[in-house]
Structures are given as C-alpha cells and as structure tokens.
C-alpha cells in the first residue's frame, strides 16, 4: 500500500461530488461547506463533462481541498488526476488496472477501486489498492444502472476477505451508518444524502456524528 500525500485516515465520511446530483449547486462551495462541517475525503465524479470542463472543475476543487486540508480523489481518469495533481484516483472494474494506475501516478497517490461482490474483493488483494468501495449496500437512486444490492450480510462476508479499508456505498443514511460500520465498513461514501440536502453542513455533521 502506498503512503498517501496527506495523512488523513481512510475512514469516516467520503463525499462524492457529482454535478448530476448537485442540482446546479457549486461543487467547490459544497466542498468548502462540507469540509468546514468535518468532511475530509472527497471525490470528483463527472461522467458527462468534456475534458476541458472537467479540468477546470477539478482544478478549482483541488485548490479548495488544499485550502481546507482535505483530500481530493478524481473518479476514473488518471490523466485528469495527474493534470490537477489530485491526491489520487478512484477506479471502476472496467477502468485502468490498479497496477497501471500506480505506475502512472506514483507511490505517493491514493488509488481506490470499486467492488461489488466477493470475487472482486478477493481479486483486489493482489492489485494493491489503498481502499475499496463496496456496494450498493442498499437500494439507491443515484445510479440507475447500479450493480445488485449486496446488503449488510454481503458487506460482512467481504470484510473477512481483506484488510484493505472499505468504504460502503449505496443508499446509506445517518440512521443506517451504525449498522454499516458494525458490518465491517471503515467508512461510508455518500452522494445524494448530502448533495441534495437543504443544508450541506448540517447533513455532513449528522453523518460525522454517527460515524464518530
């Protein structure tokens, strides 16, 4: 496992910044509000933007993260992560293999990998990611074409397969955080429960309270 640039623990709240969910809100403003409320781990995810627009947005988010002492991960794209000197990249099962992303980004960057079943989690052990995303734990409307729901039992089963930090994702609310943590997750990755909340700071504080 590589040593990340920043020494923020890979646990707790991991906020995914997706403009398709943010309903026109500024992602940079969301990051700042969330960081002030206690969030430290962020991922920029945009499946529709052109590379030019994604670069501009990622650059602004990276600067905001630096100002807040937070970590910014870029979804999918190693080239974009390199271009803005992000703290790492989060890969899907169909993206660049972890070993190649590590070669491109170097040992000081974080590399995360999305997983959805025990076989993928077991296979990840030989690839050396810094953390895993695992889910969806519950039904979610954020992704219409998401993988089958794994449930808390699915999370408990894969926890026994790896010592790599696991961020559970999918339909998680402050009320279910305790169950998710007790089932083996080191943290929770959240999208709509924060991005669509009337008050970003309050939503983040509610998650942080249940995660502490």
């Amino acid at each position: 496992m590589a040593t990340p640039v920043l020494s923020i623990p890979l646990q707790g709240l991991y906020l995914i910044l997706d403009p398709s969910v943010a309903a026109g809100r500024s992602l940079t403003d969301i990051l700042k509000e969330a960081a002030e409320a206690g969030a430290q781990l962020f991922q920029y995810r945009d499946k529709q933007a052109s590379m030019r627009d994604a670069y501009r947005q990622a650059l602004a988010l990276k600067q905001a993260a630096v100002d807040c002492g937070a970590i910014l991960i870029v979804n999918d794209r190693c080239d974009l992560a390199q271009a803005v000197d992000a703290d790492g990249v989060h890969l899907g099962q169909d993206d660049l293999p972890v070993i190649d992303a590590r070669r491109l980004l170097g040992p000081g960057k974080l590399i995360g990998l999305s997983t959805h079943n025990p076989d993928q989690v077991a296979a990840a052990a030989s690839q050396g990611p810094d953390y895993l995303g695992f889910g969806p734990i519950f039904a979610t409307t954020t992704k219409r074409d998401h993988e089958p729901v794994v449930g808390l039992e699915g999370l408990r089963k894969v926890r026994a397969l790896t010592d790599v930090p696991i961020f559970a994702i999918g339909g998680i609310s402050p009320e279910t955080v305790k169950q998710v943590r007790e089932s083996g997750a080191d943290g929770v990755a959240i999208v709509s429960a924060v991005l669509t909340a009337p008050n970003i700071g309050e939503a983040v504080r509610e998650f942080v309270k249940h995660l502490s």
Side-chain angles (χ1 to χ4, degrees), residues 45-78:
R45 183 180 77 186
D46 190 339
K47 302 291 189 179
Q48 282 88 39
S50 67
M51 184 58 177
R52 181 185 294 273
D53 289 343
Y55 171 75
R56 289 171 175 167
Q57 179 65 86
L59 197 63
L61 289 170
K62 170 59 180 178
Q63 185 58 59
V66 169
D67 293 343
C68 296
I71 282 180
L72 179 70
I73 305 295
V74 169
N75 181 263
D76 289 350
R77 304 196 60 161
C78 290

Side-chain angles (χ1 to χ4, degrees), residues 20-146:
S20 71
V21 182
R25 282 172 159 170
S26 162
L27 297 187
T28 306
D29 288 347
I30 291 173
L31 186 152
K32 292 176 180 177
E33 290 180 51
E36 186 175 351
Q40 295 182 296
L41 298 170
F42 297 89
Q43 180 189 135
Y44 170 49
R45 183 180 77 186
D46 190 339
K47 302 291 189 179
Q48 282 88 39
S50 67
M51 184 58 177
R52 181 185 294 273
D53 289 343
Y55 171 75
R56 289 171 175 167
Q57 179 65 86
L59 197 63
L61 289 170
K62 170 59 180 178
Q63 185 58 59
V66 169
D67 293 343
C68 296
I71 282 180
L72 179 70
I73 305 295
V74 169
N75 181 263
D76 289 350
R77 304 196 60 161
C78 290
D79 55 349
L80 181 56
Q82 284 182 308
V84 302
D85 193 26
D87 297 300
V89 69
H90 183 87
L91 303 170
Q93 288 292 314
D94 296 325
D95 292 328
L96 196 67
V98 170
I99 190 169
D100 294 317
R102 182 77 71 199
R103 188 179 69 252
L104 287 171
L105 298 180
K109 301 294 186 179
L110 290 167
I111 298 179
L113 178 65
S114 289
T115 57
H116 312 287
N117 59 58
D119 288 343
Q120 291 174 354
V121 171
S126 63
Q127 300 178 51
D130 293 287
Y131 71 88
L132 300 176
F134 182 72
I137 306 301
F138 307 114
T140 175
T141 58
T142 301
K143 281 190 175 183
R144 295 182 180 180
D145 59 344
H146 63 70

Side-chain angles (χ1 to χ4, degrees), residues 4 90 125 166 204:
H90 183 87
I166 294 176
V204 168

